[in-house]
Amino acid sequence: MEINFKIIVLMLGVLFTGLTAGLCFTWSNAITPGIGRLDDLGFLQSFQAMNRAIINRSFLITFFGPVILLFINAYLHRNAHPTTFWSFMLAAILFLIGIGLITVFKNVPLNELLDKTVLEDLSTIELKDLRTKFEQPWNRWHIQRTIASFTSFSLLLIGLIYSKF
């Protein structure tokens, strides 16, 4: 197998999609249930700290890279086995909608609401209200991202099975 642009795009797309699926899975199955057990101030402080820490170059490239890479990959495989092409195209569309758009239009606004709040200035009632506005909607949208990233990754694997390099 010759290493070329097509292979590099495919490898990075699979790698970054897999990393995103793993991150989403871990967040859904360990992080949010774990911090969900904290009191309101502890929960909100933890989420605020993690949201601030996760915004870095490595995360942004890995998390949003597949939005572009997967469409390039599908285009590069347009003449491949139909199952390969359509698996890759569906993975790209699902990742764009399920990760890209949900993140930008649903999770990020909730993160920004939390980030702009000086938690230590809030009363116990205000903390509870903020948590109510944040936690359940954020988790609901994140479950959608988890499903989308897992399914996109699975579609890439299906496409790989049918591909002929």
Side-chain angles (χ1 to χ4, degrees):
M1 175 172 59
E2 173 186 327
I3 300 296
N4 56 35
F5 180 71
K6 185 176 179 178
I7 298 299
I8 291 169
V9 169
L10 175 60
M11 289 172 52
L12 289 176
V14 170
L15 176 63
F16 290 174
T17 303
L19 287 170
T20 299
L23 173 71
C24 289
F25 178 82
T26 301
W27 204 279
S28 294
N29 288 281
I31 295 170
T32 53
I35 66 172
R37 296 176 181 155
L38 298 173
D39 64 23
D40 294 335
L41 179 60
F43 171 84
L44 294 168
Q45 285 175 325
S46 296
F47 226 107
Q48 198 176 61
M50 286 186 289
N51 284 340
R52 290 173 179 168
I54 204 166
I55 302 301
N56 62 67
R57 186 179 320 194
S58 298
F59 168 76
L60 293 172
I61 290 168
T62 301
F63 196 75
F64 289 110
V67 170
I68 297 166
L69 287 169
L70 296 183
F71 280 103
I72 295 170
N73 182 59
Y75 175 78
L76 293 172
H77 286 87
R78 68 192 177 280
N79 296 321
H81 188 283
T83 303
T84 296
F85 170 74
W86 285 110
S87 293
F88 289 167
M89 182 57 76
L90 289 172
I93 293 166
L94 186 57
F95 198 94
L96 170 66
I97 295 167
I99 295 294
L101 296 181
I102 285 177
T103 298
V104 169
F105 292 110
K106 298 298 183 179
N107 291 93
V108 168
L110 292 166
N111 292 347
E112 288 174 349
L113 168 70
L114 183 58
D115 189 59
K116 292 176 186 175
T117 305
V118 180
L119 299 173
E120 296 73 22
D121 291 347
L122 299 181
S123 69
T124 305
I125 293 169
E126 291 169 320
L127 288 169
K128 181 170 271 331
D129 287 345
L130 178 58
R131 182 173 182 168
T132 300
K133 288 179 188 174
F134 179 85
E135 184 177 21
Q136 195 272 338
W138 196 97
N139 286 337
R140 181 180 61 240
W141 288 112
H142 182 69
I143 290 295
Q144 300 304 310
R145 295 190 304 182
T146 302
I147 293 166
S149 62
F150 173 81
T151 305
S152 291
F153 185 66
S154 298
L155 286 165
L156 290 173
L157 296 179
I158 291 167
L160 275 172
I161 291 168
Y162 283 93
S163 68
K164 295 178 183 175
F165 296 109

